[in-house]
Structure formats: C-alpha cells, structure tokens
Amino acid sequence: MAQFAEESMFETRIQSHPFDPEHELRQLRQTQSHLGALVSFTGIMRDWSGGESVSEMVLEHYPGMTEAVLARLLDRARERWSLCAALVVHRTGRLLPEEPIVLVAVGSLHRTEAFRACEFLIDALKTEAPLWKRETTASGTRWVSARQQDVKAAARWTSAGDP
C-alpha cells in the first residue's frame, strides 16, 4: 500500500449505544482525504422477519472473542486488497426497528478494491462473528438461526480468485 501523510485508519467497534452511519462516514472521509473510493454497507433492523412483525431485537455477543474475530476479518481484507482505511461498527443490546445494526466502510484508491473488501467483510461477519439475535414478535421471542444464503455468500470468498 502507498504511504500517505495522513495516518491510515483501520478500526472495529462493538457497542451497545446507537451510532449514526453518516457521521461515521464523514469522520472517515475527513481523516482520509486521499481516498479515491469509499464503499459502505449499513445493516438496518427491519420491523418484520419470517412473515411476522418484529417489535425489537436483542443482539448478544461473546466479549473479547467478537472483537478478535472482527480484527482478523479486517486483517484478511487488508491482505487481499489494497486498502487505505476500513471501519466496522456493530451494535449489541436492544435495538428497535429502523436503527442501524452494522456499518462496514472501506476506503481505497480505486473502487474495485473497496467494493470487494466491503462485500467480503459483511459476508464473513454474518457467518464468523460470535453474535446472536433474539427477536420479539407478537407470538413471543425467538432466536434467529443463520440463513443458508449468508453461509453460501461467505463460502464464495474461500474459493480461488474473487467471486
């Protein structure tokens, strides 16, 4: 990776308090003015799941291990693509519909690296990070199982070459 006068930013955070994705992206851009591309993904809590209305979700995690897994995923992305910056923020605790759950933002000199790294990070996070979701619906609470489509999306990154 090329050297710049600005310090590169690679950060992961697990937090129970809400965050503003637009604010996070502005902060990243202000500290990384040399970026040619900034790609981001924001996961938002839906008010429905499995055909039912969802009033809230509780996200639990394994403290210490979750942060270590996210750091390893970020390291893997940095080894694979030429990145200038990356930020992963993930909420835990009680969430309400329309609240951001996760933000993955990746900066690079060119769009291809940023797009691929961002997609890799969210795919891998969904299947590798020790996070558990419990939804509250009119019929009670239920734990959310991993979706087969998430497993399939993550698996394509382990094959030779880019998907």
Side-chain angles (χ1 to χ4, degrees):
M1 179 170 53
Q3 294 296 317
F4 299 96
E6 300 161 335
E7 187 174 323
S8 295
M9 181 182 134
F10 293 93
E11 180 183 353
T12 62
R13 289 195 322 256
I14 301 291
Q15 62 188 54
S16 59
H17 57 280
F19 65 92
D20 177 1
E22 288 82 16
H23 172 78
E24 298 289 347
L25 292 171
R26 254 190 325 276
Q27 292 293 105
L28 182 61
R29 285 186 56 218
Q30 287 174 356
T31 64
Q32 304 294 311
S33 64
H34 59 276
L35 298 178
L38 179 60
V39 174
S40 68
F41 169 82
T42 302
I44 302 166
M45 192 198 150
R46 293 183 300 253
D47 62 356
W48 58 269
S49 177
E52 285 191 85
S53 178
V54 177
S55 60
E56 74 174 21
M57 177 172 57
V58 175
L59 271 164
E60 296 182 10
H61 76 111
Y62 193 113
M65 183 183 286
T66 309
E67 293 85 349
V69 168
L70 294 181
R72 278 196 310 274
L73 294 176
L74 196 53
D75 288 345
R76 284 170 44 198
R78 292 177 74 183
E79 290 168 5
R80 192 163 181 177
W81 294 283
S82 180
L83 305 179
C84 301
L87 172 65
V88 178
V89 181
H90 207 297
R91 282 279 307 275
T92 58
R94 180 176 180 255
L95 288 98
L96 299 174
E98 299 184 22
E99 289 185 330
I101 301 169
V102 62
L103 170 67
V104 176
V106 179
S108 65
L109 296 179
H110 305 284
R111 71 181 183 275
T112 301
E113 290 86 1
F115 273 113
R116 288 188 178 148
C118 187
E119 191 173 16
F120 161 78
L121 284 167
I122 193 62
D123 286 347
L125 184 153
K126 294 279 288 181
T127 57
E128 296 183 36
L131 292 155
W132 300 276
K133 293 186 213 178
R134 187 179 68 231
E135 297 174 333
T136 300
T137 68
S139 57
T141 61
R142 64 182 179 207
W143 290 98
V144 178
S145 300
R147 298 181 318 166
Q148 188 58 38
Q149 66 193 39
D150 292 332
V151 173
K152 188 176 180 180
R156 68 194 170 120
W157 297 103
T158 59
S159 61
D162 289 332

